[in-house]
Amino acid sequence: MSSSARSDEGGMGVGLLGLGVVGTAVAKAIVERHRSEDPSVPLNVVAAVVRDTSRKRDVDLDPSVISTNLDTVVANPDVDIVVELMGGVDPAFDYITKALEAGQHVVTANKEVMAKRGSELLATAAENNVHLFYEASVAGGIPIIGPLMNDLTANKIQSLRGIINGTTNFILTKMAHEGADFDDVLSEAQSLGYAEADPTADVDGFDALYKISVLARLAYHTEVPVDVIHREGIREVHAKDFRYASELGYTIKLLAVAQANGESGLLSRVHPALIPLDVPMASVNGVLNAVEVEGDLVGPLWFQGPGAGPNPTASAVMGDVIRIAKGAPSNGSSSSAPKPFPIASMDDHVCQYYIRLTASDRPGVLANVARVLGDADISINSVLQKDTDIENGHADLVIMTHPARESNMQSAVSSIKELDSVLRLDSLLRVETYGDRA
Ligand code: NAP
């Protein structure tokens, strides 16, 4: 089907797969454009597929448009652009594939399918000479895919670093500002609708992992499978860690990072990290998202804005739809085949570490810990002793190390846990490196 095809109501025909939070906002935006008779890009919702047609939808669509019948969208000759807003891999992957094979352009906000099966889908789009655009799949309303795909193509990207999950940023910001515990803030986030009843995708870092996989593939023109990305969530971050981090000049954020290092290759990682209080990322609070891109020609760039929500996400989806409707050039770098790029091991990552232990409050404990660290080639930068519990003879020992290799730190941690004088190793957090300082 050519991009100039028109649905029988006039304008380009759009078929929606999903009419939930984002689908409804996109349908509303199209209905508004249709009403305003924008002559530049006439669009029309031809059909919308949902799971449950009895659900009330907050958009003025003729009920006959909404059904559970996939054929009303995929391979329908009146549908030029399929907008997939269901989420997940199954059945989204099959539906998108069928639409592309039928010669329909596809726009999706689905980070999971783009992370896990994106290369196959992009290849199918290229084979069928149609577009597959996915700006909304990462960082909601923030334009980041477009700049990486177009404006920054002359650059070698040195690093991508982002806060790209609004739910965890909301939780960590509350913990930092109010001294609240993770479980309490998670419950509040759930009652406000910022976190799902099952928060796993967000708090265990999967959502951020899918997004950094999508960004890394684009930035480094290579396949970055989700299982090569190091992932840790925020369940183990405690209110105390914010207090101690702040005394040391840091806050804690869930970072998603992809960094190319000439010798070891591309390392992608998602984990909570201490970041200096005076870098811009430290002030990205609440549900906001931010992405920092460093290119060899352009230097550092900063993108910040709403990373989710119906209207910001609809803004990104509609941008892609309108680009296609206006006749975007076919098969640019969006569909280029990934080239092999060496993938680095997390074991070789080097950074400073923050360690919090509950230890016996007696002489020689620090010397024992220092010896174990020294045996692993790790030296101590600073130490805080805090919250001494005289009755039970315990204290918190907070240790900042000098830069060390991840594999050395992991083996030191195993040995530290075996020391008689160490009751618990409560936290091990990485310190993000900025320039020549931590
Ligand atoms: P949602 O509110 O749960 O909506 C999903 C929609 O898909 C619903 O209309 C549902 O039908 C329909 N659906 C699900 N499975 C289906 C199936 N097997 N067959 C037919 N219809 C099916 O989700 P959302 O929040 O709009 O998110 C949609 C996509 O956008 C996801 O990929 C998400 O990651 C992405 N995204 C969301 C946001 C955000 O702020 N929400 C931001 C960025 C990206 P029923 O209505 O009948 O249940």
Side-chain angles (χ1 to χ4, degrees):
M1 179 176 302
S2 87
S3 62
S4 60
R6 294 286 182 269
S7 73
D8 46 9
E9 277 198 46
M12 283 199 97
V14 175
L16 295 167
L17 297 176
L19 202 51
V21 173
V22 181
T24 302
V26 168
K28 275 182 173 171
I30 294 174
V31 168
E32 278 311 308
R33 293 188 76 85
H34 195 63
R35 283 206 181 114
S36 68
E37 291 176 3
D38 182 334
S40 59
V41 276
L43 297 168
N44 179 40
V45 178
V46 173
V49 171
V50 296
R51 260 179 314 211
D52 176 4
T53 49
S54 69
R55 257 185 69 188
K56 197 165 158 26
R57 313 279 161 181
D58 181 26
V59 53
D60 186 13
L61 283 180
D62 188 317
S64 67
V65 164
I66 303 169
S67 80
T68 56
N69 180 2
L70 182 66
D71 294 341
T72 60
V73 168
V74 175
N76 175 350
D78 288 337
V79 173
D80 306 293
I81 305 170
V82 174
V83 180
E84 185 277 307
L85 299 167
M86 297 188 303
V89 172
D90 187 23
F93 174 80
D94 288 341
Y95 290 7
I96 295 171
T97 302
K98 278 185 190 150
L100 296 169
E101 286 174 350
Q104 294 169 304
H105 303 290
V106 175
V107 173
T108 181
N110 187 335
K111 70 222 90 171
E112 187 175 354
V113 81
M114 288 310 297
K116 292 181 175 169
R117 310 289 301 269
S119 295
E120 292 160 75
L121 291 173
L122 289 166
T124 305
E127 277 159 25
N128 291 280
N129 206 25
V130 287
H131 293 296
L132 169 58
F133 286 163
Y134 50 102
E135 180 63 66
S137 66
V138 179
I142 304 175
I144 182 69
I145 306 264
L148 285 173
M149 208 180 265
N150 302 302
D151 316 77
L152 299 173
T153 41
N155 285 262
K156 271 198 187 121
I157 303 297
Q158 284 146 344
S159 72
L160 283 167
R161 193 151 43 179
I163 293 174
I164 48 179
N165 180 268
T167 304
T168 47
N169 204 41
F170 172 84
I171 294 171
L172 294 177
T173 303
K174 279 253 168 195
M175 289 175 75
H177 293 179
E178 296 173 14
D181 278 321
F182 171 80
D183 289 331
D184 296 336
V185 184
L186 174 60
S187 301
E188 187 185 345
Q190 285 168 321
S191 65
L192 289 170
Y194 290 147
E196 303 282 336
D198 176 0
T200 308
D202 294 316
V203 303
D204 293 321
F206 290 100
D207 177 86
L209 175 144
Y210 299 146
K211 291 169 178 170
I212 198 68
S213 163
V214 170
L215 291 183
R217 178 172 56 220
L218 258 180
Y220 296 98
H221 311 286
T222 195
E223 192 54 36
V224 186
V226 291
D227 55 6
V228 304
I229 300 175
H230 179 85
R231 175 190 56 80
E232 285 170 43
I234 63 163
R235 288 184 201 263
E236 304 303 322
V237 181
H238 296 268
K240 267 184 180 183
D241 294 316
F242 287 95
R243 192 152 43 93
Y244 300 155
S246 156
E247 281 188 39
L248 293 161
Y250 297 89
T251 189
I252 303 169
K253 297 286 185 188
L254 182 72
L255 288 188
V257 182
Q259 245 162 355
N261 174 327
E263 287 151 34
S264 52
L266 174 64
L267 179 64
S268 304
R269 51 192 167 90
V270 172
H271 55 79
L274 267 68
I275 58 173
L277 284 166
D278 61 353
V279 302
M281 202 67 93
S283 310
V284 177
N285 288 324
V287 293
L288 275 182
N289 279 199
V291 182
E292 222 175 56
V293 182
E294 177 113 26
D296 63 340
L297 296 177
V298 72
L301 287 176
W302 177 252
F303 302 78
Q304 180 178 325
N311 286 337
T313 311
S315 159
V317 170
M318 287 300 291
D320 281 348
V321 169
I322 291 168
R323 217 146 52 90
I324 293 171
K326 282 183 167 173
S330 64
N331 298 325
S333 53
S334 62
S335 304
S336 64
K339 295 182 210 102
F341 195 104
I343 299 289
S345 161
M346 188 65 186
D347 283 349
D348 297 326
H349 181 52
V350 174
C351 67
Q352 288 188 278
Y353 290 84
Y354 160 104
I355 307 167
R356 176 166 62 85
L357 309 166
T358 303
S360 304
D361 184 23
R362 58 178 152 90
V365 175
L366 179 58
N368 286 340
V369 175
R371 180 183 42 76
V372 170
L373 288 170
D375 288 348
D377 218 12
I378 300 167
S379 57
I380 292 176
N381 178 306
S382 60
V383 177
L384 299 175
Q385 181 170 334
K386 291 284 178 183
D387 284 6
T388 305
D389 176 348
I390 295 171
E391 206 172 304
N392 291 308
H394 301 163
D396 285 349
L397 203 56
V398 178
I399 298 170
M400 271 293 228
T401 73
H402 282 294
R405 268 186 92 225
E406 175 81 15
S407 55
N408 293 18
M409 179 52 76
Q410 294 301 342
S411 76
V413 158
S414 307
S415 305
I416 289 172
K417 284 180 180 165
E418 280 168 18
L419 290 172
D420 287 343
S421 50
V422 171
L423 279 80
R424 276 191 316 274
L425 192 143
D426 300 287
S427 293
L428 176 71
L429 292 167
R430 298 173 189 84
V431 180
E432 189 63 14
T433 306
Y434 282 84
D436 55 4
R437 61 181 189 160

